[in-house]
Amino acid sequence: MEYKNPLGVDIDLETGVIPGAKKLVRRLSDLKGYFVDEKAYEELLKENPVVYEVYAIEQEEKDGDLNFATTVLYPGKVGREFFFTKGHYHSKADRAEIYYGIKGRGGMLLQTPEGKAEWIEMGPGTVVYVPPYWAHRTVNTGDEPFIFLAIYPADAGHDYGSIAEKGFSKLVVEENGEVRVVDSPKWKE
Ligand SMILES: O=C(CO)[C@@H](O)[C@H](O)[C@H](O)COP(=O)(O)O
Ligand SMILES: [Fe+2]
């Protein structure tokens, strides 16, 4: 039997960086078609800001193993919609996940394949359990980076397809200085 080596790493709780992790950067141009206000999207695309970064320590896609990753989701809006991650189902749809809030404020939109949505607010110390089969997207509703840790099965994978096409049934927007979760005009059953 070949055993893997255990690993301990210190997450930088100010920046979200995990030493030795693989870094992924998502700019606004990577989120084409995701925001409802296309005019506001095109306008902000001139700056093409970084929307989020992911620092991941991932294993081979094998049953029983675990991956973990921090996400640094920057503050900002496209029109009235707060910056968010793409959002996905897991390719192995029955794989669950745990999120843990580290810094900043935001929340998670979750959704079943039938379009039943839930919004869970997150701050430092919040644990969110993502059950099997639920799509999940995080949203920064604050004015500083929203940083969190995700722990997920190594064979979960990411299925971005249907969210990229139809989005979530709800949008998280600013209305008169308040955070509101409203129906998405893009959502069709
Ligand atoms: O849920 C997971 C892994 O299963 C997170 O690590 C996200 O991958 C990350 O927050 C970026 O979001 P996406 O671009 O992948 O939706
Ligand atoms: Fe996930």
Side-chain angles (χ1 to χ4, degrees):
M1 176 80 173
E2 279 262 350
Y3 295 103
K4 286 184 158 181
N5 289 326
L7 169 71
V9 286
D10 292 323
I11 296 169
D12 185 321
L13 299 176
E14 291 302 311
T15 63
V17 173
I18 305 178
K22 196 178 76 189
K23 181 180 181 183
L24 174 88
V25 179
R26 292 267 186 240
R27 291 186 172 272
L28 191 66
S29 53
D30 298 312
L31 292 163
K32 189 170 171 56
Y34 276 82
F35 292 94
V36 167
D37 188 337
E38 285 174 15
K39 249 180 94 178
Y41 177 85
E42 290 303 326
E43 192 54 39
L44 194 57
L45 201 54
K46 293 173 188 163
E47 293 168 36
N48 198 16
V50 172
V51 180
Y52 58 102
E53 293 154 346
V54 180
Y55 297 90
I57 304 257
E58 295 190 328
Q59 310 297 327
E60 271 177 85
E61 289 192 19
K62 281 196 182 144
D63 182 12
D65 214 343
L66 291 173
N67 292 338
F68 62 98
T70 51
T71 301
V72 181
L73 177 53
Y74 288 95
K77 275 183 295 172
V78 176
R80 297 190 309 147
E81 255 183 299
F82 291 105
F83 275 11
F84 52 60
T85 55
K86 286 185 168 187
H88 57 271
Y89 291 93
H90 290 147
S91 307
K92 287 205 167 130
D94 66 351
R95 297 314 196 242
E97 183 162 3
I98 292 288
Y99 276 60
Y100 181 68
I102 292 175
K103 195 167 191 265
R105 291 221 72 88
M108 188 188 290
L109 263 181
L110 298 101
Q111 178 167 306
T112 66
E114 290 77 26
K116 178 185 176 224
E118 293 270 345
W119 167 245
I120 297 179
E121 283 187 28
M122 291 176 69
T126 307
V127 176
V128 179
Y129 164 59
V130 182
Y133 303 107
W134 287 75
H136 41 289
R137 158 183 287 167
T138 44
V139 184
N140 186 339
T141 56
D143 48 22
E144 63 172 324
F146 172 37
I147 302 174
F148 52 85
L149 173 71
I151 303 168
Y152 47 103
D155 64 350
H158 295 84
D159 172 9
Y160 292 104
S162 80
I163 299 295
E165 212 177 291
K166 297 203 308 186
F168 282 71
S169 62
K170 301 279 183 188
L171 307 179
V172 185
V173 300
E174 186 176 73
E175 228 172 62
N176 306 320
E178 291 195 22
V179 178
R180 293 225 190 285
V181 181
V182 300
D183 287 338
S184 169
K186 273 172 51 174
W187 176 260
K188 301 168 221 85
E189 282 291 322

